[in-house]
């Protein structure tokens, strides 16, 4: 299932491991666990909830994280967490150095710093098109403890896209109907003007399609590959311990031999959850952060079937909560430039734009027409000219007009 929604209100989903005393940090996206929790809450009053819950809380149903989309060419396009590994000079002239794809150590350019490439991105040829999530903040007072703390939130107006992988059609039909008709709110402070979203659509993906496949090699491929984490992930070792990447298991899943990780650009996050039955948090687990990239070399070829399997099934633990999603990224080694693109509210403004009618154009020309070098508009047109110009500008650009009037008392 693929679905899209717009957050009509700011969304506040706390990230407890980035939060500090007196300051609550938030996620830059809507986690799969939050989406699952909202769906479970809406179904809880139903007659078949116990049966449904067993399916929704098992690995038969996987809730992917919902990420903001990028506005481009009059439409919203899917984005993924920005791949890591890029550096740039201090001038930030738009050129990127890709250190994961470097073949030799002496190719590294000294003096470069980590590139500012936002939180989410698309790849277009050699260009990384990126965006950041704008955050709002609020000061809150805890009357009982008599202290003040600050909290962040994702600003309203972002267009998100998420996926749910379902094992049976009955459950899928139920979820699609619920997503298209349910009243969804995500995160905390929902009674204080936070969390309300408007579902745009929910539907089956087209036959043969899978999430994020436009970014994938999507076919048989040889060494090396660039494996990118689309969500946090961690695998287990032979004794059940968390180990990051288990090269032996990954080798078997890809159907190759001699697999080694040659280069990587990663960061680590701690993930946890909350068990309402026990009334306590689940044990924290260290995972590679979304956007982490691994350059992997091996002997043999990875079949198109193996590529599909690993991207559909994911890697490691907690896959039903949105973790474990990976891609074998195409064109990563070709990226050498960056471009910041619009995201929040861009599509809303575009939707407000309207073509000027012929009558609109006639009115405008009546205002600017000249006779013997002087404006020929009559007094009636003159009196309403600012109002008319403001309306035409709003109609054309989809943005409210601001009038700056100086020397008004002269």
């Amino acid at each position: 299932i693929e679905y899209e929604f717009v957050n009509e209100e700011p969304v506040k989903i706390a990230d407890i491991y980035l939060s500090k005393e007196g300051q609550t940090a938030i996620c830059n996206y809507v986690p799969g666990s939050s989406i699952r929790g909202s769906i479970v809450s809406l179904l809880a009053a139903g007659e078949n909830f116990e049966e449904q819950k067993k399916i929704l809380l098992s690995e038969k149903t996987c809730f992917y994280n919902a990420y903001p989309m990028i506005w481009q060419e009059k439409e919203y396009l899917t984005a993924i967490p920005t791949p890591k590994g890029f550096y740039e000079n201090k001038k930030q002239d738009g050129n990127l150095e890709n250190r994961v794809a470097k073949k030799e150590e002496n190719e590294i350019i000294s003096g470069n710093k980590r590139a500012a490439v936002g939180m989410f991105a698309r790849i277009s040829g050699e260009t990384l098109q990126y965006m950041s999530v704008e955050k709002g903040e609020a000061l809150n007072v805890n009357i009982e403890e008599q202290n003040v703390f600050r909290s962040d939130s994702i600003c309203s107006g972002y267009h998100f896209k998420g996926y749910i992988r379902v094992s049976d059609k009955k459950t899928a039909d139920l979820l699609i109907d619920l997503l298209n008709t349910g009243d969804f709110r995500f995160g905390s402070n929902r009674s204080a003007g936070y969390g309300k979203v408007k579902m745009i659509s929910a539907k089956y993906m087209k036959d043969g399609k899978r999430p994020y496949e436009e970014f994938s090699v999507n076919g048989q491929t040889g060494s090396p590959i660039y494996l990118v984490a689309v969500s946090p992930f961690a695998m287990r070792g032979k004794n059940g311990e968390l180990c990051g990447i288990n090269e032996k298991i990954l080798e078997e899943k890809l159907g190759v031999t001699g697999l080694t990780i040659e280069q990587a650009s990663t960061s680590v996050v701690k993930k946890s959850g909350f068990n309402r039955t026990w009334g306590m948090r689940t044990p924290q687990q260290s995972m590679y952060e979304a956007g982490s990239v691994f350059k992997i070399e091996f002997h043999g070829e990875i079949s198109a079937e193996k590529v599909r399997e690993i991207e559909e099934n994911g890697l490691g633990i907690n896959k039903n909560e949105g973790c474990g999603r990976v891609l074998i990224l195409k064109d990563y080694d070709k990226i050498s430039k960056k471009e910041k693109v619009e995201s929040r509210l861009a599509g809303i403004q575009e939707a407000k734009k309207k073509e000027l009618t012929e009558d609109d154009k006639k009115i405008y020309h009546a205002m600017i027409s000249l006779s013997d070098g002087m404006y020929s508009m009559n007094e009636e047109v003159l009196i309403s000219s600012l109002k008319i110009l403001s309306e035409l500008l709003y109609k054309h650009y989809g943005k409210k007009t601001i009038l700056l009037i100086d020397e008004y008392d002269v």
Side-chain angles (χ1 to χ4, degrees), residues 84 92 98 104 146 149 170 181 199 203-204 208 236 239 245-246 262 305 310 314 332 335 342 373 377 396 409:
K84 301 180 185 295
Q92 296 190 30
N98 188 336
E104 302 294 339
Q146 295 187 345
F149 63 94
K170 180 181 177 181
T181 59
M199 285 290 171
K203 59 187 178 182
Y204 283 107
R236 294 193 182 277
N239 296 317
I245 287 187
N246 186 321
E262 292 298 312
E305 182 182 358
I310 198 168
Y332 173 79
I335 298 171
E342 292 291 335
M377 72 176 82
H396 180 72
D409 57 340

Side-chain angles (χ1 to χ4, degrees), residues 19-59:
S19 300
K20 302 175 183 177
E21 185 176 355
Q23 177 178 335
T24 303
I26 55 101
C27 296
N28 301 316
Y29 57 92
V30 180
S33 56
S34 294
I35 297 160
R36 183 184 67 178
S38 295
I39 287 175
V40 168
S41 295
L42 289 173
L43 292 173
E47 295 180 0
N48 301 318
F49 177 63
E50 290 303 317
E51 178 186 345
Q52 294 163 351
K53 184 171 70 172
K54 292 177 184 178
I55 298 173
L56 294 176
L57 299 184
S58 72
E59 290 205 359

Side-chain angles (χ1 to χ4, degrees), residues 299-313:
H299 303 305
E301 295 276 327
I302 303 174
S303 68
E305 182 182 358
K306 292 292 185 183
V307 171
R308 172 176 284 274
E309 283 179 5
I310 198 168
E311 292 181 351
E312 284 190 346
N313 298 328

Side-chain angles (χ1 to χ4, degrees), residues 228-261:
V228 63
V230 182
S231 67
F233 86 95
M235 300 175 71
R236 294 193 182 277
K238 63 180 181 180
N239 296 317
E241 77 284 5
L242 291 177
C243 65
I245 287 187
N246 186 321
E247 294 183 20
K248 187 65 178 176
I249 291 178
L250 184 58
E251 188 178 86
E252 293 172 359
K253 286 181 176 292
L254 295 176
V256 296
T257 59
L259 184 145
T260 58
I261 299 173

Side-chain angles (χ1 to χ4, degrees), residues 315-361:
L315 287 176
I317 62 174
N318 296 359
K319 290 182 286 189
N320 61 328
E321 296 181 0
C323 298
R325 315 324 310 179
V326 297
L327 281 175
I328 300 178
L329 201 59
K330 69 177 178 182
D331 297 335
Y332 173 79
D333 55 336
K334 297 178 182 177
I335 298 171
S336 60
K337 298 181 184 300
K338 71 173 188 176
E339 175 191 3
K340 188 172 183 179
V341 293
E342 292 291 335
S343 50
R344 177 179 178 244
L345 300 178
I348 296 174
Q349 291 168 353
E350 187 68 23
K352 290 179 180 176
K353 289 184 182 181
K354 297 179 181 178
E355 292 291 331
L356 296 181
T357 65
E358 289 302 317
D359 287 341
D360 292 331
K361 294 175 183 178

